[in-house]
Amino acid sequence: MKFNSLVIHGGIDGDKTTGAVTVPIYQTSTYAQEAVGKHSGYEYSRTGNPTREAVEKLIADLENGYRGFAFGSGMAAISSILMMFQAGDHIIFSDDVYGGTFRVVDKVFKNFGLEYSFVDTSEKANIIHHIEDNTKAIYVETPTNPLMKLTDIQEVARITKERDLLLIVDNTFMSPYLQRPLDLGADIVLHSATKYLGGHSDLVAGLVVVKDEELATKMHFVQNAVGAILGPFDSWLLMKGIKTLAIRMERHCENAKKVAQWLSEQTWVKKIYYPGLSTQKITDSLREQMKDFGGMISFEVNDEATLNKILSNLKTITLAESLGGIESLISVPAKMTHASIPAEIRARLGVTDTLIRLSVGIEDVEDIIKDLDVSVK
Ligand SMILES: *Cc1c(COP(=O)(O)O)cnc(C)c1O
């Protein structure tokens, strides 16, 4: 089945018992057993729940992996992946990963003896330079937030395969519609399903897909042992969101391209971060890695007065954190999502006080542009 059909019919399609075209919400904690140990395959809902299993099978199909796992948030998914490692293991992370990922590694897993390096993974030499005897995995986010830095997944996969390391990719910004890391050589792919997969800003969830049985056994052990699972209702809601992923992503990309192009023509815009602009230099390999460039744009304006003018009187776009929903969201990373990073580090990374991040929604693009147009405000 091709992708646009798979988002609708992948995983478990409908309900065999009743013919219902959607998977039922099995709102139950436990399951009756016929005799001791004789059951339908379900014993207790932390271990397995049919509604959760349906969304897990669906994401496994979409990422072309062996098995999927659903968690209560993106952070629960990331934490559960990290719990497959041991004290003394070393992991290399992209240096501008999601802030929550940095925080959980640096403030929580550090206390349990996990060793780590945050490096610019867009440069192969940086990665190789930081590989130690106890390095077990490389964890990559591409594109990154908010500066849209790209890492070549196939190139990193060559490094991890040669050395028997795991390659973990946070695919939140792209979704499997635009980028499939397992096909590019990754071992584990994860999502904050709160963003594009859910797509409607109405739930918080995390998804993981692994490429083989051995990793699936390990991941399921942690999921069941630690218990950071997604509930049946949110699993169902997430499935409903995923069904329109393909058509939403198409419009996100189309709108973002038009907004980025328009921004590039404005004199008050100093810099634009959007890999789809013809002025952004990217390699052929990176161009092939992603089907299109997604719905996220960051741009720097000339001064704070311009920034304030944009933010005052927004009609279509909402000032809010998060991304990936049908509605356009705008944020100022230096003052919102990245406020906890010291000013000098922010400056070095390029997250200036006049940097704006835009999650381009699927509204009429003219309305989105009208909100940004300071010349008519
Ligand atoms: C939001 C986000 C996360 C964290 O996910 P939650 O669902 O908020 O816990 C992880 N990675 C990326 C890239 C994100 O955007």
Side-chain angles (χ1 to χ4, degrees):
M1 214 179 268
K2 291 174 74 180
F3 196 88
N4 293 358
S5 309
L6 205 57
V7 287
I8 295 163
H9 300 293
I12 292 168
D13 194 14
D15 178 37
K16 284 208 174 59
T17 325
T18 62
V21 295
T22 63
V23 173
I25 303 172
Y26 287 90
Q27 197 70 44
T28 187
S29 61
T30 192
Y31 307 83
Q33 305 193 5
E34 230 177 90
V36 178
K38 197 166 173 221
H39 53 74
S40 58
Y42 300 98
E43 292 164 275
Y44 186 62
S45 277
R46 170 159 36 73
T47 317
N49 174 284
T51 317
R52 191 177 86 225
E53 235 171 64
V55 76
E56 292 177 332
K57 288 208 157 94
L58 178 58
I59 192 64
D61 281 352
L62 298 182
E63 287 286 7
N64 200 18
Y66 180 79
R67 185 165 169 188
F69 301 90
F71 295 92
S73 68
M75 286 319 304
I78 293 165
S79 300
S80 297
I81 290 170
L82 295 178
M83 285 185 224
M84 295 198 289
F85 296 90
Q86 295 179 6
D89 286 350
H90 174 252
I91 301 178
I92 295 172
F93 292 85
S94 298
D95 60 358
D96 48 358
V97 286
Y98 177 72
T101 306
F102 176 77
R103 181 175 57 193
V104 82
V105 170
D106 190 55
K107 297 277 189 290
V108 179
F109 283 94
K110 180 186 179 175
N111 301 335
F112 294 89
L114 188 77
E115 295 176 20
Y116 50 89
S117 308
F118 285 89
V119 315
D120 180 353
T121 52
S122 66
E123 295 287 339
K124 183 177 153 187
N126 279 336
I127 299 176
I128 293 173
H129 178 73
H130 283 88
I131 294 175
E132 309 279 349
D133 289 342
N134 58 341
T135 303
K136 293 282 156 41
I138 299 176
Y139 180 113
V140 163
E141 207 175 296
T142 179
T144 59
N145 168 27
L147 297 176
M148 309 297 290
K149 223 156 63 182
L150 303 175
T151 291
D152 189 325
I153 297 171
Q154 271 181 300
E155 193 174 86
V156 182
R158 278 193 285 274
I159 299 173
T160 53
K161 283 195 163 58
E162 265 171 26
R163 294 164 177 80
D164 208 17
L165 311 177
L166 289 176
L167 174 55
I168 305 164
V169 177
D170 182 336
N171 201 27
T172 301
F173 267 42
M174 289 278 96
S175 88
Y177 177 74
L178 296 177
Q179 175 170 283
R180 272 185 293 283
L182 299 182
D183 288 349
L184 299 166
D187 302 283
I188 302 174
V189 57
L190 71 103
H191 289 273
S192 166
T194 313
K195 317 293 169 53
Y196 286 106
L197 289 171
H200 295 74
S201 307
D202 54 5
L203 64 89
V204 173
L207 291 171
V208 173
V209 181
V210 300
K211 68 138 202 244
D212 63 27
E213 188 179 357
E214 189 190 338
L215 283 169
T217 305
K218 276 190 183 168
M219 190 75 260
H220 185 256
F221 179 82
V222 173
Q223 187 192 37
N224 183 47
V226 177
I229 50 159
L230 190 65
F233 178 72
D234 280 356
S235 296
W236 178 85
L237 194 57
L238 176 54
M239 242 179 318
K240 182 173 154 84
I242 292 175
K243 283 182 194 292
T244 55
L245 177 71
I247 195 162
R248 282 187 287 108
M249 290 315 293
E250 250 168 57
R251 178 66 76 83
H252 280 299
C253 293
E254 185 188 318
N255 279 359
K257 236 172 272 175
K258 286 181 182 156
V259 172
Q261 186 56 41
W262 179 83
L263 284 169
S264 73
E265 291 155 11
Q266 309 308 308
T267 53
W268 44 268
V269 175
K270 215 156 103 185
K271 205 164 180 189
I272 304 176
Y273 301 90
Y274 182 70
L277 274 180
S278 56
T279 47
Q280 311 250 302
K281 277 193 242 93
I282 65 172
T283 63
D284 289 343
S285 173
L286 282 171
R287 215 171 275 283
E288 279 165 27
Q289 156 171 317
M290 47 222 285
K291 174 173 167 157
D292 207 336
F293 300 99
M296 297 301 298
I297 301 173
S298 291
F299 60 102
E300 210 181 312
V301 296
N302 275 338
D303 48 44
E304 294 215 22
T306 307
L307 180 136
N308 291 331
K309 207 166 173 188
I310 292 173
L311 298 185
S312 64
N313 204 18
L314 291 169
K315 291 195 175 65
T316 303
I317 308 172
T318 306
L319 176 69
E321 289 185 9
S322 198
L323 60 108
I326 47 176
E327 61 288 281
S328 294
L329 300 179
I330 200 165
S331 67
V332 182
K335 301 205 168 87
M336 297 165 72
T337 46
H338 291 60
S340 62
I341 300 172
E344 69 271 17
I345 296 179
R346 276 205 312 262
R348 182 159 48 77
L349 292 173
V351 184
T352 64
D353 287 349
T354 55
L355 183 77
I356 295 174
R357 188 185 81 176
L358 184 62
S359 171
V360 181
I362 64 170
E363 302 96 337
D364 282 310
V365 72
E366 294 79 6
D367 289 324
I368 300 170
I369 289 175
K370 205 188 287 170
D371 265 15
L372 299 172
D373 195 352
V374 290
S375 68
V376 298
K377 285 198 179 187

